[in-house]
Amino acid sequence: MKKLVIFASGSGSNFQAIINAIANNEIEAGIAGLITDREGIVAIDRAAKYHIPVSVIPYFDDHTFTEQLSDQLSEWNPDLVVLAGYLKKIPGKIVDAFDNRIINIHPSLLPKFGGKGFYGERVHQAAIESGETESGCTVHFVDNRYDRGPIIDQKKVPVKPGDTPADLANRILKAEHELLPNVIKRILNQTN
Ligand code: GRF
């Protein structure tokens, strides 16, 4: 059985989409654990409901953060690491150790509206302000550049006249919940 480790910093609706896809046998894998950088987030409640182990690793300094993440990942030993709404940068040592085995979902059609500072509603605000008629989401491999690793797949949604950033975020989130499990399934099928 393939093992996933999910990273999340917030509501974890993408984490839930992965849980659902496993329950529906769309993804043949187990979730070894959830890693978060903060207590008190909805993603932790979701993990508790499904008896998924949680490791809270807050950032204090580069060295400690890297060591704690490395130790937890060594223990859980995942085939694939999924960043599903995780806001911290993954330390280079971990990116190198998990070459092509860490993926991230981002709520825009990268390379548009990605990089440092493009998170949450800012991404959607920027897409609306630039007059885009379509936006969407991207799943990409994680490398040492924010939101710039090789793109695996994207899903487009329209930007409608009068959209607020929240309207666009919600429309994109629905697309994310389809795209992310689908990409995970494809990657796991390609690895032995
Ligand atoms: C998603 O829009 C994702 O693309 C971005 O953060 C958001 C996380 O949402 N990286 P959720 O926590 O999965 O609900």
Side-chain angles (χ1 to χ4, degrees), residues 8-15 46 83-87 104-107 120 124 137 169 172-173 176-177:
S9 298
S11 103
S13 68
N14 278 291
F15 173 41
R46 296 184 197 269
L83 309 185
Y86 184 69
L87 292 176
N104 178 50
I105 183 144
H106 184 81
H124 309 298
C137 48
I172 291 175
L173 205 49
E176 293 182 41
H177 298 161

Side-chain angles (χ1 to χ4, degrees), residues 1-4 22 25 27-32 76-80 188 192:
M1 173 78 88
K2 298 276 172 60
K3 281 196 287 180
L4 304 174
I22 291 173
N25 297 316
I27 296 176
E28 275 182 57
I31 300 177
W76 283 340
N77 193 25
D79 297 282
L80 184 66
L188 293 181
N192 321 307

